[in-house]
Amino acid sequence: MNYHRFDCIIVGSGGAGLMAALEASKLAGTAVVSKLYPTRSHTGAAQGGIAAALANLEDDTWENHAYDTIKGGDFLVDQTAAEVLCREAVECIYDLEHMGLPFDRTPDGRISQRRFGGHTKPNPVYDPAAPAGTEAAKPRIPVKRACHSADRTGHMILQTLYQQCIKQGVTFFDEFHMLDLIMVEGECRGIVAIEIATSELHVFHAKSVLLATGGFGRMFKVSSNAFALTGDGPAIAYRHGIPLEDMEFYQFHPTGIYRLGILLSEACRGDGGVMFNGEGERFMEKYAPNLKDLASRDVCSRSIYQEVRAGRGVGGKDYVYLDIRAETINKYKTSPTGEPVDSAWVSKRLPDIIDFARTYLGVDPIHEPMPIQPTAHYAMGGLPTDVHGRVLRDESGAFIAGLYSAGESACVSVHGANRLGTNSLVDLVVFGRRTGREMARFALDRPFQSLPPKPEAYVKAEIEAVLARPRVEPWVKIRDEMQRTMMDECGVFRTADTLTKARDVLVDLQNRYRSTGVQDKGTVFNTGLLEVLELGCLLDLAQATVASALARKESRGAHSREDFPTRDDSQFFRHTFIFKDGEYPGRIGYKDVDVILRQVDGRMEPKYPLEIRKY
Amino acid sequence: MSMRTLTVRIKRYVPERDRAPRWEEFKVEADPHDRVLDVIQKVKWDQDETIGLRRSCAHGVCGSDAMRINGVNRLACKVLIKSLPSDVLTLEPILGLPVIKDLIVDMKPFFDHYKSVLPYLINDDPPPTTERLQSPEERARFDDTTRCILCACCTAACPPFWGDDKYVGPAAIVNAHRFIFDSRDRGAAERLDILNDTEGVWRCRTVFNCTNACPREIKVTQAIQEVKQALLTGEVDTHSIVNIHQET
């Protein structure tokens, strides 16, 4: 058995994992365990920007950002966490710049910023009495808050953090795939991982373990997510009795490449792009009269579905157009500068988007609109944590000693029922940094706790069982059915009927999953075996998602129940906690949303009062 | 466009099974809009699960699936079937790095070269409380080389690297360039010293294979020439783009 011992083990090498590694390794012995080479992580696919109220191009405050985040999350956001996010975003951006991140620049050499969906500030000329449709009738207007490096901001963040890890001499175990947590007496004491190149098992003994494994968009048929995004961290924790929070809230990004799901950044619309239905109508004017195409993602995705259902998709099909041609931006006066733009400007702002469209659609967006459809993109839910990344044991708020989570695998919750564009990157750096500090501090304060005999025994038996089973049916059939079911029955719109159907299909798929094996019995890069184990994670998370969605009988943010079309604050102004019971989702508990109160005229009143969410 | 029946020839090597690499052929129905990656996975999932390859993002930004496709280095997720001239698709691992299994090579030597050029910002001056200022022109100076995704398409296409695996190779030089020409960096002299070594930039024979192989369309050869020029003149201009070597 290969045995390693580090104060801190970080699982996952995306933005959150690397940011935490940079912090933790300053104080404590730290290693990063990742199934991919770090630069392959999906943070690198983030495109448009990372929000922070730097006010480099116009007035802005972190309080504006916090309000937008809370409203964007349809008020399911924990408000203290949202304030931490938006306040610390500013210093984190400067930190990244000091690390060398090549942001685009303003003419005076400062970090350039662009508009993004749902990011606003109060309209200085707002007049409630102004006639509808006029500028003065809008209470809030878009603000340039997203710091960017063309449309490859995530690539720059990932590269910069990895570069700094090299500089700092952080230890990496690349292409090591975590398969289990070592939990003893309710504490986390390490992980078990498989070395992909040899199939050897490794035990990592640790005082603190951070799960920063990213999302699980691969449970859906059309997704912007990498193949690697199978939710290993949350799924394995869930099997150990650790709850998952707000799993019913899954974001569909409105502008995925038709059929492939590859992301076309919201920066397309931030920079003036417009969506059209098959009749050439700018349909977002109907659904979000103030912000139109810059409404938040859940609103835009639902609008596209509604257009398609009404037969107004392009050619009657299930897609609409995203148009970033300079002539369109000028015609609709959506240029972010207020001045007309030309094709050269669009090419400079969105080079990768243009490349994706040319490569995968055979469409040149400088001259033609791009066919798009909503694509499964981001999990608002995940492992419940506090603002220091400590994983919660249950809805009472007690912690699990030694276990942390940050980034998409975690639910702090700063995204609530719907995440704003760019806030995922903010989440990574702000909470990655905080969690790195906290886990190192915790590790320094205590000795290593003993491990049970043969901590790898469970994983070893599981692998042997999969390898020993006959291949009754190809496991890809099970995966394809899961993805189709989740897309059709638990997607942008849901009802009790569709969710019940999904629940039943998933039970059948789990049974079939447990009875089929793999063809490859080898030990060198047996990626077939690992794909099967990843599918097991996705199936568990899909079941948790469906069960949480069935229980939430309201519509809020990304969770749209057609049988309960309105938000119900009297019953559901609270977070869902789901626990696993044996093989299936079990108890569901609820935890109140964290609300900030402030004194107004001698009374305590909510700082962010509930409001009906309109854009 | 209708489906095409492809003959997929894969250079197989499974160390537990094969004493030497061998060719294996598979027949597969492919949609012209499919990526080469889709076709390989279809073969893997439906016909032979033992085929080894790396992949993750599937749209050309993570750099996992570099391989030789019909004799040239490409990312399998960035080549569409409709672009193939014939119905025979030949797949091999990239050259110059040890093969572990099938299309998977050992990336460690590649990343070691990358790390050897100090690929991080060096500037020990205390930073200001906000951002360091940099003009749009200074930022544009090194924009091209910030796009590298470390896929190894360039280095594994470089004849001098095939002949000498101690040569740092194009990708490492690209990443050195990214910092040498960043106005905020103070480590240019140190990096140039490393690249002035016998295994540094002078191994480059200006073959342009690297530039042709880059899936991000980085002007790799030009970046290498700019580093050579800086070594020859002893000057690093971080303010303006100069075309030393016009590429076609």
Side-chain angles (χ1 to χ4, degrees):
Chain A
M1 178 48 48
N2 303 282
Y3 172 85
H4 312 266
R5 199 163 92 153
F6 291 90
D7 293 325
C8 302
I9 286 290
I10 292 167
V11 187
S13 60
L18 296 185
M19 195 76 186
L22 284 175
E23 285 301 318
S25 62
K26 287 179 194 162
L27 296 170
T30 301
V32 179
V33 173
S34 168
K35 65 181 179 181
L36 302 174
Y37 272 96
T39 55
R40 317 296 185 218
S41 305
H42 210 52
T43 297
Q47 296 169 354
I50 173 166
L54 306 184
N56 279 359
L57 286 160
E58 56 182 304
D59 290 341
D60 196 12
T61 62
W62 70 259
E63 289 91 343
N64 286 341
H65 187 189
Y67 168 82
D68 288 336
T69 298
I70 291 164
K71 178 183 171 185
D74 217 347
F75 296 88
L76 197 71
V77 171
D78 284 335
Q79 296 176 3
T80 308
E83 291 202 339
V84 165
L85 179 89
C86 301
R87 202 172 48 229
E88 294 185 11
V90 175
E91 59 182 80
C92 278
I93 293 295
Y94 293 137
D95 266 4
L96 289 171
E97 198 282 329
H98 297 157
M99 290 178 193
L101 199 143
F103 286 110
D104 288 351
R105 300 289 171 156
T106 64
D108 58 352
R110 310 189 71 183
I111 294 169
S112 179
Q113 298 184 278
R114 61 157 49 116
R115 303 185 310 196
F116 241 77
H119 289 278
T120 66
K121 63 178 182 179
N123 182 358
V125 299
Y126 176 57
D127 174 5
T134 61
E135 201 52 31
K138 300 173 179 172
R140 297 181 77 89
I141 53 173
V143 66
K144 297 186 187 86
R145 183 180 293 149
C147 309
H148 59 88
S149 188
D151 52 358
R152 46 180 89 102
T153 312
H155 165 76
M156 300 300 188
I157 291 175
L158 186 67
Q159 295 283 330
T160 301
L161 293 175
Y162 185 55
Q163 292 155 5
Q164 290 296 307
C165 285
I166 292 171
K167 187 177 185 181
Q168 216 168 290
V170 173
T171 304
F172 283 93
F173 290 86
D174 297 328
E175 299 191 321
F176 277 59
H177 188 131
M178 178 196 57
L179 293 176
D180 202 8
L181 287 173
I182 304 173
M183 298 292 297
V184 185
E185 294 164 9
E187 295 182 357
C188 184
R189 296 188 185 168
I191 65 162
V192 180
I194 186 169
E195 183 176 358
I196 300 175
T198 61
S199 286
E200 282 183 31
L201 295 181
H202 292 249
V203 169
F204 291 85
H205 188 183
K207 298 177 191 172
S208 329
V209 171
L210 166 60
L211 299 177
T213 58
F216 33 86
R218 281 280 150 186
M219 70 168 68
F220 296 96
K221 182 162 178 252
V222 177
S223 174
S224 66
N225 281 200
F227 282 104
L229 291 176
T230 53
D232 308 355
I236 289 168
Y238 178 57
R239 291 170 187 163
H240 279 280
I242 296 161
L244 298 172
E245 181 177 357
D246 290 343
M247 290 295 283
E248 63 273 40
F249 297 103
Y250 198 92
Q251 179 171 83
F252 285 75
H253 192 294
T255 61
I257 286 183
Y258 181 51
R259 294 195 318 151
L260 287 173
I262 296 168
L263 183 65
L264 297 174
S265 174
E266 196 166 323
C268 294
R269 287 168 288 136
D271 282 355
V274 175
M275 295 191 291
F276 296 100
N277 64 20
E279 294 169 4
E281 179 194 9
R282 187 187 185 189
F283 57 88
M284 283 311 296
E285 287 177 334
K286 294 182 292 196
Y287 300 98
N290 288 332
L291 290 186
K292 303 186 178 78
D293 295 273
L294 284 175
S296 66
R297 290 176 178 172
D298 57 331
V299 175
C300 292
S301 287
R302 275 194 293 278
S303 305
I304 294 170
Y305 263 68
Q306 279 168 296
E307 289 300 302
V308 165
R309 279 184 179 181
R312 292 191 292 271
V314 175
K317 293 197 184 147
D318 55 345
Y319 67 91
V320 297
Y321 281 137
L322 171 63
D323 191 340
I324 59 169
R325 290 177 293 183
E327 64 212 65
T328 303
I329 296 172
N330 294 335
K331 180 180 170 192
Y332 287 86
K333 296 188 171 45
T334 47
S335 155
T337 60
E339 303 290 322
V341 298
D342 60 17
S343 300
W345 181 87
V346 175
S347 304
K348 188 160 178 280
R349 301 276 288 192
L350 301 165
D352 279 2
I353 298 303
I354 291 166
D355 180 41
F356 296 149
R358 286 175 180 158
T359 302
Y360 298 111
L361 288 165
V363 162
D364 186 348
I366 294 294
H367 302 296
E368 304 159 84
M370 300 174 277
I372 51 120
Q373 68 178 167
T375 180
H377 184 55
Y378 187 87
M380 273 70 74
L383 289 162
T385 70
D386 73 348
V387 292
H388 304 290
R390 295 184 284 199
V391 173
L392 305 187
R393 181 179 304 283
D394 55 40
E395 61 272 38
S396 76
F399 303 119
I400 295 167
L403 189 62
Y404 301 80
S405 187
E408 191 176 343
S409 58
C411 179
V412 180
S413 149
V414 287
H415 309 306
N418 170 66
R419 173 173 72 74
L420 285 192
T422 80
N423 268 359
S424 57
L425 294 176
V426 189
D427 181 359
L428 299 180
V429 294
V430 169
F431 292 103
R433 193 169 73 150
R434 283 178 151 255
T435 307
R437 284 177 189 163
E438 177 64 24
M439 71 190 295
R441 195 196 56 71
F442 177 80
L444 290 180
D445 276 355
R446 78 191 224 137
F448 280 97
Q449 308 292 309
S450 63
L451 293 186
K454 294 195 193 308
E456 76 287 1
Y458 175 79
V459 168
K460 195 160 173 274
E462 192 187 7
I463 290 174
E464 281 167 3
V466 175
L467 292 176
R469 281 202 291 261
R471 192 169 178 261
V472 179
E473 67 172 328
W475 59 268
V476 288
K477 270 184 68 185
I478 299 171
R479 181 201 61 194
D480 292 350
E481 271 188 63
M482 169 192 69
Q483 291 177 335
R484 207 169 45 241
T485 302
M486 291 302 287
M487 196 78 194
D488 294 346
E489 318 296 348
C490 189
V492 169
F493 286 106
R494 298 127 182 221
T495 66
D497 285 348
T498 67
L499 292 169
T500 308
K501 186 175 163 200
R503 185 187 63 191
D504 296 344
V505 170
L506 288 170
V507 169
D508 173 54
L509 294 179
Q510 280 281 21
N511 290 333
R512 284 161 54 192
Y513 174 78
R514 291 196 191 96
S515 60
T516 195
V518 291
Q519 202 182 35
D520 189 351
K521 314 288 186 189
T523 55
V524 179
F525 270 88
N526 189 339
T527 52
L529 169 68
L530 296 176
E531 280 186 89
V532 166
L533 297 175
E534 289 174 331
L535 173 59
C537 291
L538 288 172
L539 281 168
D540 284 354
L541 297 178
Q543 287 188 308
T545 302
V546 169
S548 302
L550 258 174
R552 185 172 286 270
K553 294 178 175 132
E554 66 157 356
S555 290
R556 181 188 298 268
H559 176 65
S560 273
R561 287 281 301 256
E562 289 184 285
D563 41 354
F564 298 96
T566 55
R567 197 174 80 195
D568 180 359
D569 291 321
S570 66
Q571 279 200 76
F572 288 107
F573 181 45
R574 49 188 191 165
H575 301 288
T576 308
F577 274 54
I578 187 161
F579 298 80
K580 198 163 189 279
D581 177 14
E583 291 177 351
Y584 299 108
R587 185 173 78 81
I588 287 180
Y590 292 95
K591 180 169 179 282
D592 285 342
V593 173
D594 168 53
V595 171
I596 298 176
L597 299 176
R598 64 176 171 187
Q599 206 160 23
V600 181
D601 301 330
R603 289 192 315 275
M604 294 308 281
E605 290 193 351
K607 185 172 174 187
Y608 303 96
L610 287 169
E611 55 181 276
I612 302 294
R613 187 158 155 266
K614 279 191 206 142
Y615 284 104
Chain B
M1 280 189 273
S2 57
M3 298 288 276
R4 281 167 73 170
T5 306
L6 293 182
T7 302
V8 183
R9 297 177 68 239
I10 303 180
K11 194 174 192 179
R12 300 295 309 270
Y13 173 68
V14 179
E16 300 142 296
R17 186 176 70 191
D18 303 321
R19 271 191 297 177
R22 61 194 171 81
W23 288 96
E24 195 166 3
E25 282 189 13
F26 301 89
K27 294 270 183 211
V28 61
E29 288 284 298
D31 187 300
H33 296 100
D34 278 347
R35 299 162 276 206
V36 167
L37 176 64
D38 298 318
V39 169
I40 305 170
Q41 299 216 99
K42 211 167 165 184
V43 173
K44 181 175 167 67
W45 291 332
D46 296 345
Q47 300 183 43
D48 185 348
E49 227 170 62
T50 67
I51 294 168
L53 79 155
R54 291 190 182 98
R55 84 286 180 269
S56 190
C57 81
H59 66 288
V61 297
C62 83
S64 296
D65 59 352
M67 57 185 72
R68 265 165 87 82
I69 299 174
N70 291 338
V72 290
N73 288 0
R74 293 286 181 266
L75 299 178
C77 61
K78 277 202 90 171
V79 181
L80 298 196
I81 297 308
K82 65 181 178 186
S83 74
L84 299 178
S86 83
D87 288 338
V88 178
L89 173 60
T90 304
L91 305 170
E92 302 162 77
I94 50 175
L95 300 177
L97 293 162
V99 177
I100 297 176
K101 179 186 182 181
D102 298 335
L103 302 168
I104 299 169
V105 298
D106 182 1
M107 294 295 285
K108 187 172 181 300
F110 174 81
F111 276 99
D112 285 346
H113 284 310
Y114 163 74
K115 289 171 190 167
S116 76
V117 301
L118 318 179
Y120 39 79
L121 191 84
I122 296 174
N123 185 335
D124 295 331
D125 302 342
T129 51
T130 63
E131 66 268 62
R132 289 191 174 97
L133 297 181
Q134 182 170 58
S135 72
E137 293 73 29
E138 290 167 335
R139 169 65 181 79
R141 178 66 189 84
F142 63 100
D143 185 61
D144 200 39
T145 45
T146 61
R147 295 190 287 153
C148 175
I149 56 174
L150 298 167
C151 65
C153 275
C154 60
T155 295
C158 170
F161 181 78
W162 297 337
D164 171 15
D165 63 7
K166 303 265 184 318
Y167 169 39
V168 293
I173 302 170
V174 160
N175 283 279
H177 178 283
R178 179 253 170 272
F179 289 102
I180 290 169
F181 292 93
D182 185 332
S183 60
R184 300 167 299 171
D185 186 79
R186 303 285 175 268
E190 218 178 326
R191 277 186 215 99
L192 286 169
D193 214 34
I194 293 166
L195 293 175
N196 204 16
D197 184 86
T198 46
E199 300 294 354
V201 283
W202 308 114
R203 279 273 179 271
C204 167
R205 291 288 177 271
T206 334
V207 188
F208 282 91
N209 272 16
C210 51
T211 301
N212 292 332
C214 179
R216 304 287 287 165
E217 296 175 348
I218 298 170
K219 297 183 186 73
V220 182
T221 314
Q222 177 169 325
I224 297 172
Q225 293 302 93
E226 288 177 9
V227 173
K228 288 180 184 171
Q229 188 80 4
L231 278 167
L232 289 173
T233 62
E235 281 172 31
V236 174
D237 181 357
T238 60
H239 301 284
S240 50
I241 294 177
V242 252
N243 265 333
I244 295 170
H245 201 108
Q246 206 60 48
E247 294 191 29
T248 49

